Each structure stands twice: as structure tokens, then as C-alpha cells.
Amino acid sequence: MARLVEQRGHTALLFTEHTHIPVPPAGQTPKDQEGGELPPRYWHSYDPFIASMAAGAATTRLRVGTAICLVPEHEPISLAKTVASVDNLTGGRFEFGVGAGWQREELRNHGVDPARRFAVMRERVRAMQEIWTRDEAEFHGDFVSFDPIWSWPKPAQKPYPPILVGGAGPRVFDRVLGYGDAWLPNYGPGILERIPELFRRAEEEGKDVEVIVVSVPADPDVLERCEKAGVARVMPWLPSAGWDRIQRAMDAFENALADMRGE
């Protein structure tokens, strides 16, 4: 699939993550954050870093990464090494999409209080940034604390791979501007209308951030609106299905892009 995505001229292939999905009480089905029935693909996903490495090894240009890694479910010293290793072994092609997660029991199974998940994510990302950029890294916070350590490899990209901050909550821009390089929301009502606020705040703070929108439909009008709003990259979801369905989904998206461009 990675070779196909590269051959068809796309920029990146990003992988989602759930370490597991807790089994619901007898007689109930798993629910998503809106209360809908959760499809089995949520607990049938590959580890996104191993998948990124496989995709990177099979290609030469394609960027690979996570959309998103559930950072609170990972120990940050080990995660920093994983990210740096994949970035090195793919020749600096890794993109680190991050999020705090929404499945509360999944978070609790990792020892994380769901009410503190965003604070945990902030500290773990900042601790990883220290590890990636310093020969002797040290960090002390409420959730992460370690005295000076040596940890190599350092990422191939400097200072580290792009950090794409997922989510669309009311404080997401604080996270993007606090430790991110881009906003990575799912397409939905009101998302594009929020972009001017992010760009305004970024300019006020002297930061340069991008917007990458995922789960974008194969609709020329939507794609044109994304372009006019200043979105740097649009990405559709590929179906968890057979080869024919994957190619049909790619055909539909590419045809919509061609229609939008008048090709």
C-alpha cells in the first residue's frame, strides 16, 4: 500500500493507534466518543511505529508517521528513542502526530487519569523534545522526571520530526502553539472557520505553524475550501478493506482533486 501511495504521487501515509480497546460489559458493544458503534478496526490496528518503519523501508520519498500516537499511553524515554530511530532509518521522513486519547478505560489501563491526559501529553512531549535536542537531557515535571540521561540516536530531522497536534477541543491551539508544528484536525463542521484564529495567534507569538486536515471527503468543493483557508495538506482516510476498495477510494479522492483544479 505504501508503494502505491508513493507511486500515485501522494506526500504521506500516516497510521492511527489504539493499543487495545477494553471489552465492554456483557451485552454491550464498544462505543466511540460520539456514542456510535465502534468498528473492529479499532482493535485490529498495527503498531503505528512498526507500520511506519515497514512503509518507509518499502519506499524512498513517502513521508510516514502517526495520526495519531496516543502519547499518554507511552513511557516518554522509550517513545523518544522509537521516534528518533524510525526517523533515522527512514532518512528523516517521519511525522509525529500526537493526541491525548478519548477512550477513558484504555487510558486507565495505562495508569493515566483521563482527567489529566492533556497535562500528561504536554509533559511527555516536552520531555521528548529535551531528549531529542540535548546530549545530556534532563526533565522534571509533575508526571515526568529524570536526571541527566544519554540517549541516541537523535532524530535525522532537526531539531526533531514535525509534531502534528490532533484534536479540535477549545484549547487545542494552546497545545499547537505550546509544543507543536502543525494542527492536525479531522475535517468537520467549523474546522476551517477556526484556522484564521490559529494563524493570528501564531503570528502574535512569532511562530510558524501549518494546518493538515485529515478525513477530508472526496468532494471538490470541500477541497477548494480547504485550499482557500490555507490548509497545507489534505488527507483522506483509506478504508480498512481489500485492495480494490483501497484503490477505489484513492481514485475518488484523486478525481476530486483533479475536478477542483479544473484538470
Side-chain angles (χ1 to χ4, degrees):
M1 185 173 70
R3 291 193 190 101
L4 178 69
V5 173
E6 181 175 72
Q7 289 165 3
R8 294 175 73 147
H10 296 282
T11 301
L13 178 63
L14 306 181
F15 297 92
T16 190
E17 176 178 51
H18 280 281
T19 60
H20 67 288
I21 293 296
V23 176
Q28 298 184 23
T29 56
K31 303 295 182 183
D32 64 21
Q33 53 193 328
E34 281 83 33
E37 186 171 337
L38 203 64
R41 67 174 181 269
Y42 276 72
W43 58 94
H44 282 261
S45 58
Y46 284 108
D47 176 279
F49 298 98
I50 294 175
S52 293
M53 189 62 250
T59 56
T60 60
R61 177 192 55 79
L62 188 71
R63 297 187 67 78
V64 297
T66 55
I68 54 176
C69 168
L70 301 176
V71 171
E73 300 182 1
H74 294 268
E75 188 279 315
I77 297 175
S78 296
L79 184 57
K81 181 176 286 286
T82 297
V83 169
S85 297
V86 177
D87 193 49
N88 264 271
L89 293 169
T90 58
R93 289 187 280 141
F94 187 76
E95 299 189 356
F96 191 33
V98 303
W102 57 268
Q103 222 293 346
R104 293 179 179 273
E105 290 306 316
E106 181 182 0
L107 287 158
R108 290 191 181 100
N109 287 348
H110 285 279
V112 176
D113 178 357
R116 307 302 306 276
R117 65 192 187 277
F118 291 109
V120 171
M121 178 169 72
R122 180 180 64 250
E123 282 199 7
R124 292 186 179 179
V125 170
R126 288 178 172 166
M128 288 187 285
Q129 290 171 331
E130 290 293 305
I131 295 170
W132 292 327
T133 57
R134 297 185 184 277
D135 289 351
E136 294 187 1
E138 180 177 4
F139 191 90
H140 298 285
D142 295 330
F143 306 101
V144 181
S145 185
F146 51 84
D147 290 330
I149 64 171
W150 295 327
S151 178
W152 269 265
K154 303 302 182 185
Q157 298 175 87
K158 303 302 178 188
Y160 38 74
I163 296 175
L164 321 177
V165 180
R171 299 186 62 184
V172 66
F173 292 165
D174 295 340
R175 296 188 281 277
V176 174
L177 297 171
Y179 51 81
D181 300 292
W183 183 32
L184 186 72
N186 283 307
Y187 178 79
I191 288 296
L192 301 183
E193 288 73 18
R194 296 179 63 183
I195 293 176
E197 178 192 352
L198 174 61
F199 288 163
R200 176 186 59 78
R201 288 184 55 182
E203 184 177 8
E204 290 173 352
E205 298 185 25
K207 296 181 179 295
D208 184 19
V209 299
E210 291 186 337
V211 177
I212 300 170
V213 181
V214 297
S215 68
V216 176
D219 183 328
D221 292 336
V222 171
L223 296 171
E224 184 175 14
R225 289 182 59 220
C226 288
E227 184 175 56
K228 289 181 177 178
V231 174
R233 186 196 305 164
V234 290
M235 302 185 72
W237 283 104
L238 292 179
S240 298
W243 196 241
D244 289 343
R245 277 192 58 196
I246 289 172
Q247 293 195 83
R248 287 199 302 271
M250 294 182 71
D251 288 342
F253 193 75
E254 291 165 6
N255 290 338
L257 280 170
D259 288 345
M260 185 269 288
R261 295 166 176 162
E263 298 175 355

